[in-house]
Amino acid sequence: MIVRAEIVPGSRLRGEAKVPGDKSIAHRWLILAATAVGRSELRNMTSALDVRSTAECLDALDVSNVELGQETVVEGTGRRGLREPGGTLNCGNSGTTMRLLSGVLAAAPFRATLVGDESLMKRPMERVAEPLRQMGARIETADGYPPVNITGGDLTGITYRPDVPSAQVKGAVLLAGEAAAGETTVVESVKTRDHTERALGALGAPIRHENGSITISTFDHAGFEGTLPGDVSGAAFLIGAAALTGSSLRIADTGLNPSRTHFLDVLKRMGVRVDRHLLRETVGEPAGDLEIAETSGLKGVTVGPEEFPLLVDDIVMIAVMAAFADGESRVDGLGELRVKESDRLAGLVDGIRGLGGRASNEGDSLIVAGGGLKGGTADARGDHRLAMAFVIGALAAQGTSQVEGVEYAEITFPGFVESLARLGAKVEVR
Ligand code: S3P
């Protein structure tokens, strides 16, 4: 059932916010815990639906005790402890689950089939299948798309230069590399989020960084303990809400990994000040508080294609904020946005127009006119980030708005609507 949110603009936010544990890191820590020898304890675990998909797949591979809770305990018996699943592995909506697990299954001596929901079944998988094949796994895709059939086995290290900058592809190759004979190197043309290599490094794996390349050699890691930092890409939406409503806001305990915070630099160019207070580091991940100063007036911005790999999930919020700037904004190099959970480029153009703003695309570029949104109706197209960005945009529109499909926010940010309501925003779900 599609759930519609009704948003009444005009409220300022107040109080202190907290976001759920980071989804990207959660996938990786769960997979590393499941392939560790020994017990792991992961705190501040998120209940995001995507992360549930990873946990359920790990359960189906016979990892005992992947019971997601605030404190998740995993009893790992090593990579060799994984067992052939009884049926297909359902990755739900989660591309990260499908791609990272492909890396693990490439080294597992049995056959497994990865499937997903309607959206995931349309997402490209050769980008991950190709390097894993080169390492020695047998992998078939359906013309490049799921289902992904993997028969794993003994792997040999390779040097791989991904065509598309992707943390999921890098992560899959490095996870396979931990099990492969010899050295495995990923050479990145542009840096992407580095959670896999940070976690492996913190667990003692032999990882080397040399200008733009990451090399891992064979390693068996032990169980570990860690507290997930809050999801900084979830915080991006609350920052957007604060900036658009002219509110100051503190967000407690989010990840501050520089490979995830480039959006703060773009927001600075737009006139939004966010201070970072680094407080701790956990399993190689820096974390701390964010403090958003009251914003008065947003400036239009130009974002170049070289910035995209570091803005990949946050560009959606930036685009909607641009609709409120005092001039036009332009974002180039958004081809990859078309193969996310939905065609986010088309979805953004439609959604901004639906909410009474002006936006268009020229090829892979997005052009957003400033001046504000009048209010109206936007469709999330089954995409969690579009759902959240449209709700936030609607908070600052002139009139009341509706966002169709707000329930998809749960895929990444459990309790998104409730969090906004607690801060004083008028969002009602019908
Ligand atoms: C992710 C990587 C990004 C991002 C996704 C999460 C990850 O995808 O969009 O939400 O956790 O590795 P790509 O690797 O396709 O850029």
Side-chain angles (χ1 to χ4, degrees):
M1 193 186 74
I2 297 294
V3 179
R4 159 185 285 212
E6 184 157 300
I7 302 105
V8 182
S11 304
R12 281 191 152 203
L13 305 188
R14 52 184 195 290
E16 184 175 289
K18 190 158 174 7
V19 286
D22 189 276
K23 180 175 79 144
S24 225
I25 300 174
H27 288 297
R28 287 160 172 86
W29 287 13
L30 277 175
I31 289 173
L32 287 169
T35 51
V37 181
R39 178 186 169 95
S40 294
E41 278 183 40
L42 313 179
R43 291 177 287 273
N44 196 31
M45 179 50 70
T46 170
S47 58
L49 297 181
D50 273 0
V51 175
R52 281 184 190 278
S53 295
T54 291
E56 282 164 18
C57 287
L58 291 171
D59 255 351
L61 290 163
D62 210 17
V63 178
S64 56
N65 273 336
V66 189
E67 195 127 320
L68 279 190
Q70 270 289 104
E71 280 199 37
T72 298
V73 175
V74 183
E75 305 285 352
T77 49
R79 276 188 298 270
R80 287 164 210 88
L82 302 181
R83 294 285 167 265
E84 180 158 356
T88 56
L89 295 171
N90 188 351
C91 305
N93 191 244
S94 176
T96 312
T97 304
M98 189 172 279
R99 294 188 180 128
L100 291 182
L101 280 182
S102 296
V104 172
L105 293 169
F110 51 77
R111 185 177 161 89
T113 301
L114 298 156
V115 297
D117 71 4
E118 208 188 317
S119 146
L120 185 53
M121 294 305 277
K122 292 189 212 130
R123 296 184 62 190
M125 291 298 148
E126 270 306 310
R127 54 183 64 189
V128 78
E130 189 206 304
L132 298 175
R133 255 184 230 123
Q134 285 180 25
M135 294 176 83
R138 275 185 27 219
I139 307 194
E140 299 129 36
T141 62
D143 275 336
Y145 298 95
V148 181
N149 285 302
I150 306 184
T151 308
D154 292 338
L155 303 179
T156 311
I158 55 166
T159 294
Y160 192 66
R161 294 182 168 72
D163 290 339
V164 186
S166 162
Q168 295 171 350
V169 172
K170 170 175 64 176
V173 174
L174 292 177
L175 289 171
E178 201 200 3
E183 289 193 336
T184 300
T185 301
V186 179
V187 186
E188 290 197 291
S189 56
V190 192
K191 188 173 163 71
T192 62
R193 64 185 69 187
D194 58 6
H195 303 306
T196 312
E197 52 269 44
R198 277 181 187 255
L200 282 165
L203 299 184
I207 286 243
R208 251 182 13 249
H209 296 264
E210 268 157 312
N211 44 46
S213 77
I214 307 119
T215 300
I216 186 168
S217 26
T218 329
F219 189 65
D220 284 315
H221 59 270
F224 59 102
E225 280 185 25
T227 301
L228 283 152
D231 196 326
V232 70
S233 299
F237 294 97
L238 299 184
I239 294 171
L244 293 181
T245 57
S247 317
S248 58
L249 185 69
R250 192 177 181 89
I251 307 177
D253 196 33
T254 83
L256 295 177
N257 178 327
S259 70
R260 294 283 298 284
T261 53
H262 182 61
F263 76 95
L264 294 176
D265 305 327
V266 176
L267 291 185
K268 191 170 170 199
R269 290 174 359 221
M270 297 178 81
V272 181
R273 208 185 92 207
V274 182
D275 293 327
R276 301 165 223 199
H277 304 286
L278 181 65
L279 295 173
R280 64 183 175 100
E281 181 158 323
T282 170
V283 198
E285 292 290 344
D289 295 350
L290 293 174
E291 210 167 335
I292 302 112
E294 242 176 68
T295 304
S296 57
L298 286 175
K299 295 195 272 280
V301 72
T302 302
V303 180
E306 70 290 351
E307 297 183 78
F308 178 74
L310 289 177
L311 290 174
V312 58
D313 292 334
D314 313 312
I315 200 71
V316 171
M317 187 67 258
I318 291 172
V320 172
M321 290 173 79
F324 292 89
D326 63 5
E328 188 177 275
S329 295
R330 181 181 178 99
V331 189
D332 293 319
L334 294 182
E336 270 293 300
L337 267 198
R338 295 186 188 278
V339 289
K340 290 290 176 192
E341 284 79 339
S342 72
D343 177 345
R344 283 187 180 157
L345 184 51
L348 275 171
V349 170
D350 273 5
I352 291 172
R353 287 181 182 166
L355 291 172
R358 280 183 298 138
S360 58
N361 70 293
E362 285 169 12
D364 292 341
S365 299
L366 174 69
I367 295 106
V368 183
L373 297 176
K374 293 196 185 75
T377 301
D379 182 359
R381 296 177 167 221
D383 186 313
H384 50 112
R385 293 197 199 277
L386 291 181
M388 293 190 283
F390 295 152
V391 168
I392 303 294
L395 288 177
Q398 282 160 34
T400 302
S401 299
Q402 286 82 34
V403 175
E404 311 271 2
V406 71
E407 73 278 19
Y408 290 103
E410 297 294 308
I411 286 172
T412 204
F413 192 149
F416 170 70
V417 168
E418 294 77 2
S419 298
L420 280 179
R422 256 197 312 278
L423 293 169
K426 292 208 176 73
V427 183
E428 252 184 53
V429 171
R430 326 201 141 201

